[in-house]
Amino acid sequence: MRAPLVLAMALAAGAAFAAPVEVRVQTPAGSPLADAAVLVEPLAGTPPRARTRGPAAKGVAIEQRGREFSPWMTVVQTGTSVDFPNNDTVRHHVYSFSEPKRFEIKLYAGKPGQPIVFDKPGQVDIGCNIHDWMEAHVLVVDTPYFARTGADGRATVAGVPAGRYRLRVWHPLQKAMAAPGEIDVGDAPVRKTLVLDARPREPKPHTEDPDHY
């Protein structure tokens, strides 16, 4: 049997044993928790590189609109480039002092010349040096299998190959790290409900003159 045919058969077999991991994240009071990261991490081997298809291949953007960052929380795989387009009528000064990625995009409008490459795993907190209430959070992870919960607290990590994984959740406003669990992924969906002690985001009021900068 020729090598290309063997490779094709192996890839087809791997695709046949991929399944979604569906997770609902809630607070201890039972309320759905939005903007939580759901991470599915292989227990063995090296995590695959960033996906070559889908949204990750098109890059990631955290825009400024209405003097807020959108999205407020983003999950990316290590090595991902992120753009910070300013779609406001005022200028912003975007920065982070977080150890995994320190950077600064000085007072600007429109789209900066170069994206920021998040090349180390960890939590990156982002602010605007002009508008103190503006904040965003980026969680940089090594695994390509992740998702963010919506307003209903639900997230689906699609296309996880068969195997054993660590399942964990994270939120920018969590009071403590949740203990990770382990799951076995086969050819059927994995469904879990997880509890995370975190407070939901409460948007801060704008106190600046809308024409300021």
Side-chain angles (χ1 to χ4, degrees):
M1 186 179 293
R2 294 181 179 179
L5 181 57
V6 173
L7 177 60
M9 291 177 65
L11 291 174
F17 291 97
V21 176
E22 303 170 359
V23 176
R24 183 182 189 272
V25 183
Q26 63 185 37
T27 66
S31 300
L33 184 63
D35 295 311
V38 175
L39 312 175
V40 180
E41 302 169 327
L43 287 178
T46 302
R49 294 183 179 181
R51 295 166 178 167
T52 56
R53 296 181 180 179
K58 301 176 183 178
V60 176
I62 300 175
E63 69 169 334
Q64 298 119 67
R65 184 182 295 275
R67 293 179 295 153
E68 295 284 1
F69 287 108
S70 181
W72 176 72
M73 194 283 282
T74 302
V75 191
V76 299
Q77 190 177 9
T78 307
T80 299
S81 297
V82 179
D83 279 310
F84 288 85
N86 180 2
N87 294 316
D88 273 332
T89 57
V90 297
R91 292 183 291 173
H92 294 295
H93 185 142
V94 177
Y95 72 94
S96 174
F97 295 142
S98 298
E99 185 61 35
K101 192 63 186 183
R102 299 176 184 267
F103 69 93
E104 184 177 24
I105 309 175
K106 295 185 177 181
L107 207 60
Y108 73 102
K111 184 177 180 180
Q114 295 293 330
I116 302 298
V117 179
F118 288 78
D119 48 5
K120 295 179 181 179
Q123 176 180 345
V124 180
D125 301 314
I126 298 167
C128 174
N129 210 24
I130 305 301
H131 307 99
D132 292 342
W133 65 83
M134 291 178 60
E135 64 177 56
H137 306 275
V138 177
L139 184 64
V140 187
V141 298
D142 287 329
T143 179
Y145 310 117
F146 56 80
R148 182 183 66 188
T149 59
D152 60 357
R154 298 182 183 277
T156 298
V157 184
V160 180
R164 190 159 181 80
Y165 295 85
R166 179 184 300 108
L167 176 64
R168 62 187 185 97
V169 292
W170 174 91
H171 190 275
L173 302 180
Q174 65 189 19
K175 297 178 181 178
M177 291 286 292
E182 294 186 6
I183 57 173
D184 290 304
V185 177
D187 57 358
V190 176
R191 297 183 174 92
K192 295 286 185 179
T193 296
L194 303 177
V195 177
L196 182 60
D197 192 359
R199 59 182 176 88
R201 178 197 180 196
E202 297 179 0
K204 299 177 181 178
H206 297 183
T207 57
E208 297 271 354
D209 183 331
D211 295 323
H212 183 62
Y213 289 98

